[in-house]
Each structure stands twice: as structure tokens, then as C-alpha cells.
Amino acid sequence: MKCIKKLVALTLAAVLALTMLTACGGTPAEPLTQPDINKGKEIAAALNEARVAAGKKEVPFDEEYSVKLTEYANAYTNWQFAWRAYDQDQTAENKATLDAAKRKYDEVSKELPSGVSKGKMLKVNVAAFDNVKANGRNYFAGTDKNGNYYPLATQEGNMCAVTVITKEDLTFAIVFVGTK
């Protein structure tokens, strides 16, 4: 009888655990690092200064879309950190982690939030942005290696979104200009 009670209790525990895992659609994903909205607004303001200097209209900052870009930004930084770990220690475990992170990034890249089209996206190291700003310049007011004005300053669109996340020693921004 004791054996049957233990078996029933164990079965119930397993069913409850399975129910908890499947109730939300599966095992929980890695928690997202939440975006720094204030820093995103600061970066968007610098972008708009450069746009006005380039003869383009300002694009309003879209906070809702900025938050939606968080999953993309997290997938990108996780992939970069996995690549860094593999570069430093090329073990099979690190390679598997790198491959999984790259697959996740590729998956998320294909499923960016809808409702925005014809956009251009830029990945920005926030330390570089802050350094340029500290020297009295605008990060977005330069030219690329071909002499073309910085791409987001001339990108067609009517909105911008910026998600800024921090992971370990890297604060990273995804800046997007597009049409909503």
C-alpha cells in the first residue's frame, strides 16, 4: 500500500510539473533584458539632429515598437556572447551553444514585429555613441566608408525605434527607422 501511495504521489507530481511547463506553451525562454527607454530616447534625439542637418524630417520615437525590438536585441547579444565564448575556448559545448544562439538569432530576425516596413536597422555600441557625444559630435552625422551620409540620417520613414539593452560588459542599441 505504501508503495502504491508513493507511486501515485510521484505520478501526480510529474503530471503537475508537466502541466506547469505546458500551460504557457512550453518551457520558459531565457528572460529578456528589458530596454533602457530613456537611453533610447537620447539616441533617437541625436539621430533626429542628424536627420535635420541632412535635410530630412524628424522621425518620432515609437516606444511600443522599441520595446518589441527587445527580443531581437537579446538574441543578437546572446549570439555575440556565445561567439566570444567559443572564440576564447573552442570546446564542443561552446560550439553547440554558439550554434543554438545563431539559430535563435536567425529565427528572431525573420520574425521582427509587424506593422513597420521599408526599415533600416543599425546595431550600435552605446559606449561608442557616448564617446562621440562626449567629444561634442553627433554619432549619426558622419559618413560611411564610401563617403555616403550615415544611413539612418537619410533613411525614408515616419518613425524610429531604439532598444538599448545591457548584457555583462556590453550596452548595446538597435536603432531602427521605418514606415509605420
Side-chain angles (χ1 to χ4, degrees):
M1 189 70 173
K2 275 188 175 182
C3 186
I4 292 175
K5 282 184 179 178
K6 283 183 181 180
L7 184 60
V8 169
L10 199 60
T11 304
L12 265 175
V15 167
L16 280 173
L18 188 59
T19 303
M20 292 300 291
L21 287 175
T22 57
C24 301
T27 56
E30 181 176 333
L32 298 176
T33 305
Q34 293 307 306
D36 180 344
I37 293 298
N38 290 330
K39 191 67 173 179
K41 288 178 180 177
E42 178 187 336
I43 291 171
L47 170 62
N48 276 318
E49 282 179 32
R51 287 181 64 82
V52 169
K56 292 288 183 181
K57 290 183 195 172
E58 288 189 16
V59 283
F61 176 77
D62 188 317
E63 187 169 329
E64 183 181 342
Y65 194 79
S66 296
V67 171
K68 288 179 182 179
L69 284 175
T70 304
E71 186 176 7
Y72 174 87
N74 275 281
Y76 182 82
T77 53
N78 287 339
W79 171 43
Q80 293 300 300
F81 274 80
W83 181 82
R84 182 192 292 179
Y86 179 70
D87 191 45
Q88 293 173 354
D89 186 12
Q90 297 186 0
T91 64
E93 182 181 342
N94 284 346
K95 176 67 172 147
T97 301
L98 173 61
D99 292 343
K102 176 67 167 116
R103 279 192 302 277
K104 175 68 175 174
Y105 170 70
D106 289 342
E107 174 188 316
V108 170
S109 296
K110 291 176 190 167
E111 298 174 11
L112 286 172
S114 62
V116 176
S117 63
K118 301 180 185 172
K120 188 168 280 204
M121 190 176 288
L122 184 69
K123 301 166 185 81
V124 175
N125 183 321
V126 173
F129 170 83
D130 288 340
N131 186 42
V132 168
K133 187 176 178 187
N135 288 319
R137 296 191 311 272
N138 187 314
Y139 183 88
F140 299 98
T143 55
D144 66 17
K145 63 184 177 187
N146 298 320
N148 300 316
Y149 206 82
Y150 217 80
L152 294 181
T154 56
Q155 170 69 25
E156 295 301 324
N158 62 7
M159 61 81 75
C160 74
V162 186
T163 187
V164 181
I165 63 169
T166 299
K167 180 166 181 169
E168 295 176 27
D169 60 340
L170 178 67
T171 300
F172 199 81
I174 303 293
V175 186
F176 178 85
V177 174
T179 303
K180 192 167 185 179

